[in-house]
Structures are given as structure tokens and as C-alpha cells.
């Protein structure tokens, strides 16, 4: 049979990162390409105890159908927690539990976008979200990143010239892939510009709780008085990505439409996982858990930084980062980045080419992304040594 695919999906390509991950699990591979939490970051003993008690005491609650909006105690607790700790959410906002934060991107796009409408996004940006926007045939407009976040000049130009802009997608904290954190001054200006142009902001914050250096910066959503910010949160990097529990906090009318869209996608997210997340937040020392995670990633990042200082500098540079899971590294002119990545793979070191994170993958890019949470300390040190060696060989 000759299969006729829809116009919406026939031009889509597999995620470059997912394809790389297929190879990175082979024996002997040093996986600097993944974005997974560190193995010792999982609170599996607490999850095992909570799950055991849940299935012993109220098994039907975890196994039966539930409401699309999400497990009510979790929704209530998250609204209270996010309001008190981060000043996120108001009386005009509602919350929807999703199957990971990725589904927030999908549901909001399905809710707001018509084919050909424009999504503004940071350049580079997270490939998973970019592919979601592409699947709805959005026009992607990339705005350059600067050391303190998105270019305000670039954003102003895009807001003034692009047609049918539905929202700006941003990752303000420890951005994936660049590791950059947007300054408070820029967050305030981004909010004001989008408010004045009647453009919604999709604030994706999966890494915000993983700050191991510097001071916390208020979210863009905490500035929202006009109902223009949709906040996407997730338990993937702080509890478990496999449980697929995320959430959206945003204007009630938009959340209500997203609920209708979700009913047609998956009815509701995994209810067992939602209950476990609620009990983990309320029955254990959640803040102590977050502190432990930051300690793990502070130590892992120091291993990476030491190795890069020894084997990369001064040939290969990197952007400063104060949290998250990634380092964004840049090759000097004269070294072909894709060839560099290919040679790394041949020597069993996997990194992600920077072109994977661009709105236009045909653009030139000298950068690549390293993940420091997944590899062992030994793999980090050895992988960086090999990459540095390849860089010097190619420079001549």
C-alpha cells in the first residue's frame, strides 16, 4: 500500500536528540548528549513507599478514570505552593495537569494556532518544543540569545514586523540548550513588550528549581497582571521524567480550551503518578529533596568545568551557567561543527549538534550541547578529553 500522510506531518523529521539517544546507549558510548536526570537524583525509595501505601489502602483511586483537569489535591497544592514560593498564579488563573510539560506546548499550540501563524522563540531553543510548533505548521521566528537572555532589540523588531503572532516561547532559567538565564530587567521588558502587542508568553520552566549558583530571579509569570503568561512546570527534572507529570498555570479561558483539547488526546494524565507526586510533595521534605538535587548538580557541573578548563580552553569556549543540566560549547571558526560531532561519535562520544536547536537547521552554527547530569564523573572527564583532542586535531 502507498501511504498518504497528512500535510501536517509529512515534512516532520524525527527528533535529532531522540535519534542520537538510540546510539548513545550502545556499549562503550560516553553519553554527553542526553538530558536525563542523574541516576542518584531519583527518590525511588520514597516513590516505592508511597506507591505501596497507595495500592494497599486506596488502589481504586489510582487505577480508575479521573477528571481531565487533573488530581484535585495535586492541583490545589500546586496552586498554593507556586503562589507562596514563586508568586505564580492569581484568581484569574487556573491549573491543568498534563502528561509532562511537553504536552503544555502541544495543547496551547492546538488551542491558539491556525496554520501559518507565527511563534516567536529564542534561537537556539528546545528541539522538542520546536517540533511541536512545526507539527501545527507554525511559522517559527527565531530571536537571537545574548549573555543575559533574549535580544530585546530582536524581540521588538519581530513584534513590529511579524504577522499573526500567537505567542512568544521562552525558557528563562538555564535555557535548553544555551544554559543562559534571562536577567530580571529583560524579563520585565519582555513582559511589557508582549503585553503592549497583545501577544501571549509561554514561559517554560523545567529547570528553575535546579539552581546551584547565584540568586533566584522572579518568573515572568510573577509579573503578570494582564493575563498574558502561560507558565509550564514539570516534575520530570525534580522527581521522575518517566512519570510524565507536568502542569500549566495560566488564564482561565485559555486553560478551559486546553482541557477540551486534552480530552481528545488522552482523557487525563496518569492518575497514579499524579497522586504519587502530590504525596511526595506533602508527605516528605520536598524542599530538602530540591536542595539535595542542587548539591548533586553542583558537584557534577564542577567535574565538567574542571575538564573543560583542562581540555577545551582556550580553543573551545562555553557559556556560563548557574543551574540546569547543560553546557553550550562553541568551536572556533575554521572547525566544521557537524564534522566535529561526527568524529566524536566515531570515537564513542555523543554530543548534540547546535543546528538541532535552530528554527532553520540549514543555518550555520559553531556550537554543540553537552549534558553533565547523565554521564558518570569518569565519562565526563574522558568524554571532554576526547572532544578537546578532536578539536585540536581539526584546528591543526
Amino acid at each position: 500500500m502507498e501511504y498518504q500522510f497528512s500535510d501536517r506531518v509529512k515534512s516532520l523529521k524525527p527528533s535529532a536528540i531522540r535519534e542520537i539517544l538510540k546510539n548513545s546507549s550502545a556499549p562503550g558510548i560516553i553519553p554527553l548528549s542526553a538530558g536525563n536526570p542523574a541516576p542518584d537524583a531519583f527518590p525511588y525509595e520514597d516513590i516505592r513507599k508511597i506507591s505501596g501505601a497507595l495500592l494497599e489502602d486506596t488502589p481504586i483511586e489510582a487505577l480508575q478514570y479521573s477528571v481531565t483537569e487533573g488530581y484535585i489535591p495535586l492541583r490545589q497544592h500546586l496552586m498554593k505552593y507556586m503562589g507562596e514560593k514563586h508568586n505564580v498564579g492569581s484568581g484569574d488563573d487556573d491549573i491543568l495537569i498534563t502528561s509532562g510539560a511537553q504536552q503544555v506546548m502541544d495543547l496551547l499550540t492546538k488551542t491558539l494556532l491556525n496554520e501559518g501563524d507565527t511563534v516567536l522563540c529564542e534561537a537556539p531553543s528546545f528541539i522538542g518544543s520546536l517540533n511541536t510548533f512545526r507539527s501545527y505548521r507554525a511559522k517559527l521566528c527565531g530571536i537571537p540569545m545574548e549573555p543575559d537572555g533574549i535580544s530585546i532589540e530582536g524581540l521588538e523588531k519581530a513584534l513590529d514586523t511579524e504577522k499573526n503572532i500567537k505567542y512568544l516561547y521562552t525558557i528563562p532559567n538555564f535555557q535548553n540548550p544555551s544554559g543562559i538565564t534571562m536577567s530580571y530587567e529583560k524579563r520585565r521588558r519582555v513582559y511589557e513588550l508582549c503585553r503592549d502587542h497583545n501577544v501571549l508568553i509561554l514561559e517554560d520552566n523545567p529547570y528553575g528549581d535546579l539552581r546551584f549558583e547565584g540568586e533566584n530571579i522572579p518568573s515572568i509569570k510573577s509579573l503578570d497582571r494582564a493575563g498574558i503568561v502561560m507558565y509550564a512546570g514539570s516534575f520530570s527534572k525534580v522527581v521522575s521524567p518517566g512519570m510524565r507529570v507536568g502542569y500549566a498555570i495560566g488564564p482561565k479561558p485559555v486553560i478551559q480550551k486546553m482541557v477540551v483539547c486534552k480530552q481528545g488526546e488522552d482523557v487525563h494524565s496518569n492518575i497514579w503518578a499524579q497522586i504519587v507526586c502530590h504525596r511526595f510533595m506533602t508527605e516528605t521534605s520536598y524542599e530538602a529533596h530540591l536542595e539535595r538535587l542542587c548539591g548533586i548538580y553542583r558537584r557534577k557541573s564542577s567535574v565538567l568545568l574542571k575538564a573543560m578548563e583542562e581540555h577545551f580552553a582556550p580553543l573551545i569556549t562555553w557559556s556560563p551557567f548557574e543551574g540546569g543540566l547543560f553546557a553550550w560549547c562553541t568551536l572556533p571558526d575554521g572547525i566544521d561543527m557537524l564534522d566535529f560531532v561526527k568524529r566524536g561519535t566515531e570515537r564513542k562520544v555523543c554530543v548534540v549538534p547546535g543546528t538541532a536547536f535552530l528554527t532553520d537547521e540549514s543555518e550555520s552554527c559553531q556550537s554543540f550541547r553537552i549534558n553533565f547530569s547523565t554521564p558518570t564523573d569518569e565519562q565526563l572527564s574522558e568524554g571532554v578529553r576526547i572532544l578537546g583532542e578532536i578539536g585540536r586535531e581539526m584546528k591543526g
Side-chain angles (χ1 to χ4, degrees):
M1 180 177 179
E2 184 178 344
Y3 298 101
Q4 298 294 323
F5 296 107
S6 70
D7 291 339
R8 214 181 99 199
V9 303
K10 65 184 179 183
S11 63
L12 293 181
K13 301 175 184 178
S15 163
I17 296 176
R18 291 290 151 192
E19 293 302 301
I20 290 170
L21 286 179
K22 291 179 184 178
N23 299 322
S24 65
S25 59
I29 292 292
I30 297 177
L32 306 185
S33 53
N36 302 339
D40 53 344
F42 290 88
Y44 55 87
E45 280 296 332
D46 286 320
I47 292 175
R48 181 183 61 79
K49 292 175 183 177
I50 291 169
S51 298
L54 174 59
L55 294 175
E56 181 71 27
D57 301 333
T58 55
I60 303 306
E61 181 184 32
L63 302 176
Q64 186 58 278
Y65 281 116
S66 188
V67 295
T68 303
E69 290 83 350
Y71 182 58
I72 293 173
L74 177 61
R75 293 174 65 229
Q76 291 174 338
H77 181 76
L78 274 173
M79 286 296 280
K80 183 173 183 290
Y81 175 84
M82 292 301 295
E84 292 177 350
K85 184 176 180 181
H86 298 292
N87 196 28
V88 166
S90 70
D92 296 322
D93 288 320
D94 204 351
I95 183 170
L96 170 65
I97 306 299
T98 58
S99 298
Q102 184 77 30
Q103 193 179 45
V104 180
M105 319 313 160
D106 180 83
L107 293 173
L108 184 69
T109 308
K110 182 181 288 187
T111 297
L112 297 182
L113 250 77
N114 294 313
E115 184 176 328
D117 285 346
T118 300
V119 174
L120 306 181
C121 48
E122 296 158 335
S125 189
F126 174 51
I127 187 174
S129 295
L130 295 181
N131 281 344
T132 293
F133 308 150
R134 291 181 179 119
S135 75
Y136 288 94
R137 307 193 82 180
K139 177 187 177 185
L140 300 181
C141 176
I143 300 170
M145 291 289 283
E146 296 174 341
D148 60 345
I150 194 169
S151 166
I152 296 300
E153 182 181 351
L155 177 60
E156 288 180 308
K157 181 180 178 181
L159 288 169
D160 287 338
T161 59
E162 293 292 330
K163 305 297 183 185
N164 301 319
I165 302 171
K166 288 303 171 72
Y167 56 83
L168 164 69
Y169 174 68
T170 177
I171 310 172
N173 295 315
F174 324 122
Q175 199 245 19
N176 182 3
S178 71
I180 290 170
T181 294
M182 190 187 299
S183 67
Y184 178 73
E185 291 74 18
K186 282 199 169 180
R187 294 177 195 224
R188 184 171 51 78
R189 190 69 185 122
V190 164
Y191 173 75
E192 292 169 349
L193 284 169
C194 289
R195 179 198 61 199
D196 293 347
H197 284 79
N198 199 35
V199 168
L200 192 141
I201 299 169
L202 174 51
E203 181 178 16
D204 189 11
N205 189 30
Y207 314 106
D209 285 326
L210 302 181
R211 173 177 285 279
F212 44 75
E213 300 291 345
E215 298 296 324
N216 286 315
I217 301 174
S219 66
I220 300 173
K221 182 62 178 172
S222 70
L223 306 173
D224 190 18
R225 301 295 178 267
I228 66 160
V229 183
M230 180 67 66
Y231 180 95
S234 177
F235 287 96
S236 290
K237 301 302 187 289
V238 295
V239 179
S240 161
M243 291 168 68
R244 308 307 305 133
V245 180
Y247 55 95
I249 298 175
K252 288 180 180 179
V254 183
I255 290 286
Q256 288 167 0
K257 286 297 184 183
M258 290 170 67
V259 169
V260 175
C261 291
K262 184 172 171 61
Q263 288 170 346
E265 285 191 9
D266 61 4
V267 183
H268 63 76
S269 298
N270 184 320
I271 189 61
W272 162 79
Q274 292 185 59
I275 298 172
V276 170
C277 285
H278 173 251
R279 294 191 181 186
F280 183 74
M281 288 191 79
T282 57
E283 296 178 4
T284 71
S285 180
Y286 188 63
E287 296 305 314
H289 169 71
L290 295 180
E291 288 180 15
R292 187 177 74 85
L293 295 186
C294 291
I296 290 172
Y297 295 126
R298 182 182 298 110
R299 188 190 61 77
K300 297 282 287 187
S301 68
S302 68
V303 173
L304 174 63
L305 288 168
K306 180 181 177 183
M308 292 195 299
E309 290 283 1
E310 183 176 352
H311 300 292
F312 279 7
L315 183 67
I316 303 172
T317 60
W318 57 92
S319 301
F321 54 93
E322 297 180 326
L325 308 178
F326 306 109
W328 186 240
C329 304
T330 301
L331 296 162
D333 293 338
I335 295 181
D336 183 276
M337 184 273 297
L338 291 176
D339 187 27
F340 173 87
V341 172
K342 181 172 179 282
R343 294 190 190 197
T345 303
E346 290 170 351
R347 291 172 66 170
K348 297 191 173 183
V349 181
C350 288
V351 298
V352 185
T355 48
F357 303 99
L358 301 180
T359 56
D360 180 359
E361 293 184 18
S362 66
E363 289 182 15
S364 62
C365 179
Q366 286 297 101
S367 300
F368 60 94
R369 193 194 75 177
I370 285 179
N371 164 258
F372 57 82
S373 59
T374 306
T376 64
D377 294 0
E378 293 75 17
Q379 287 176 325
L380 274 175
S381 298
E382 179 64 5
V384 169
R385 184 193 67 77
I386 292 171
L387 293 175
E389 194 172 86
I390 293 170
R392 288 187 294 275
E393 290 170 359
M394 294 181 71
K395 187 65 175 176

